[in-house]
Amino acid sequence: MVFVASAAVRAAFTSVPTFHTRSSRPTSPTSRQPFRARTAFFAPLRPRLTAVTPPRLRASASGASDTAKPLPSQQQQQQQPPDVQPVAKKVNRFKVGLYILLWYAFNIVYNISNKRVLNWFPVPWFVSWVQLLVGVLYVLPIWALRLRRAPTVPKQVLKTMLPISLGHIVGHVSTVVSLGAVAVSFTHVVKSMEPFVNVVGSAFFLNSVFPLPVYLSLLPVVTGVVMASVSEVSFTWLGFLSAMTSNFAFTARNLFSKLSMNKPKGKNMDPANLFAVLSIMSTILLAPVALIIDHPAKLMSAWNTATVGAAAVVTAPKLMLYIFISGLFFYLYQEVAFKALDSVHPITHAVANTVKRVVIIVTSVFVFQNPITKANALGSSVALLGVLLYSVTKNYFPEKKRSA
């Protein structure tokens, strides 16, 4: 009986695969068993071990990290040596500062050159169209020389962008008409009403509502514009209504852009290329309307009045140069504004935009020597500070969707 039991124990142990150390492992080919065969004995136990093993340990055992995956920007910072990260931050800060500086400079050049062109050559519809055309002539060689990847825009995307381009046309032409009718400073004060129009449009068309502090922050904007309007020396209804029309048009452009956010955009449609395609569509659509309103006979009369005879106010080459400069810097400041917006926090961009209007107003008053009263200066200041207050308040209180 004892013999039978000892034989059974001996048989059980001989059926279990033995594990050798590197020094005692057999070297004969016949004694080398596959790893799968040697671990077959533990196969019935594997499900139980897996069931009782904590998930984080199983992840660690499988080679996965039990920490959250870092963002791409964090990965880049982790990959960079510690002494390189401060340099990268300084470079990025310099780039953002350069964008904002160019944004200001290009905007100032555009407003001054545009105002001088309209003083000499008062055909705002034609001037608006030529400015858009100059932007198209600027971006096409960039695509042709492959300095920037050209976009691929399907027909469906063009249909989606059609209302956006119409809003862009009306907004641009209205702004140019206002700049030609009143002082540059007054146009920009009235255009500071755009946030108010934007909030109203979002409530009606996007069912978007804001908390009460956001609406209260708009009261200084409206009050300041009213104060500046009643005390403006160069006030005309054409200039005021044109500036307000541009506010509504650009608000409509923004609303159509929000409504089309989830729709296909085509290939290589980054913000710069999106604005380029928008400019091309606007140039094509505005051409017949501009040439009907500012017809050839009207253009020839205005051109001769400005450049021919003893009453000429400018030479023909200088007028053409200023028209070209206004169109080029109109396109450049819009493109740089897109890059600045993409590189900074919304509050930073709002502050920079408010400061930009102040710089333009002060520069235009200095260049064109426009008379300005104390009430006008106070109203303009209140309106611009109201825009800044609205931007900060809107960023603090999130936008909500109104329940149906």
Side-chain angles (χ1 to χ4, degrees), residues 112-123 127 180 299 301-307 311-323 368:
I112 293 177
S113 60
N114 181 69
K115 180 63 176 177
R116 284 180 172 169
V117 167
L118 294 172
N119 288 340
W120 299 331
F121 192 51
V123 281
V127 171
L299 292 176
S301 175
W303 186 271
N304 292 332
T305 302
T307 61
V313 293
V314 65
T315 62
K318 186 176 181 179
L319 178 57
M320 289 188 291
L321 177 63
Y322 268 75
I323 293 175
F368 297 106

Side-chain angles (χ1 to χ4, degrees), residues 115 177-184 186-187 232 234-236 238-240:
K115 180 63 176 177
V177 171
S178 179
L179 290 171
V182 294
V184 174
F186 180 65
T187 297
E232 174 61 34
S234 66
F235 179 87
T236 65
L238 176 62
F240 175 79

Side-chain angles (χ1 to χ4, degrees), residues 157-366:
V157 177
L158 294 177
K159 293 180 181 179
T160 302
M161 293 184 63
L162 180 60
I164 302 175
S165 62
L166 292 176
H168 182 68
I169 290 172
V170 177
H172 176 53
V173 173
S174 300
T175 301
V176 174
V177 171
S178 179
L179 290 171
V182 294
V184 174
S185 57
F186 180 65
T187 297
H188 281 276
V189 172
V190 178
K191 283 179 67 64
S192 65
M193 281 279 289
E194 186 175 340
F196 175 81
V197 180
N198 199 356
V199 167
V200 175
S202 298
F204 277 99
F205 297 101
L206 299 180
N207 291 327
S208 298
V209 293
F210 294 92
L212 183 61
V214 177
Y215 296 106
L216 293 178
S217 66
L218 290 170
L219 292 178
V221 180
V222 178
T223 304
V225 171
V226 172
M227 292 175 59
S229 299
V230 298
S231 58
E232 174 61 34
V233 177
S234 66
F235 179 87
T236 65
W237 282 108
L238 176 62
F240 175 79
L241 294 178
S242 298
M244 285 300 299
T245 302
S246 71
N247 290 334
F248 283 98
F250 285 133
T251 296
R253 183 188 67 178
N254 296 336
L255 293 177
F256 284 125
S257 299
K258 289 183 179 180
L259 292 173
S260 63
M261 286 179 61
N262 297 326
K263 296 181 180 180
K265 296 292 189 300
K267 189 177 180 181
N268 298 329
M269 288 291 281
D270 58 353
N273 280 344
L274 180 63
F275 180 70
V277 174
L278 192 65
S279 298
I280 294 173
M281 294 181 63
S282 301
T283 303
I284 296 173
L285 294 173
L286 181 59
V289 180
L291 294 177
I292 290 174
I293 296 178
D294 291 337
H295 48 82
K298 183 178 180 180
L299 292 176
M300 289 300 301
S301 175
W303 186 271
N304 292 332
T305 302
T307 61
V308 178
V313 293
V314 65
T315 62
K318 186 176 181 179
L319 178 57
M320 289 188 291
L321 177 63
Y322 268 75
I323 293 175
F324 174 79
I325 290 175
S326 66
L328 178 62
F329 281 89
F330 168 75
Y331 187 91
L332 289 177
Y333 100 75
Q334 295 272 7
E335 188 173 69
V336 172
F338 275 118
K339 293 183 178 180
L341 178 61
D342 190 53
S343 304
V344 298
H345 190 272
I347 290 183
T348 306
H349 190 272
V351 173
N353 191 39
T354 304
V355 175
K356 179 208 70 176
R357 292 198 184 278
V358 174
V359 171
I360 292 174
I361 290 173
V362 173
T363 305
S364 65
V365 171
F366 176 77

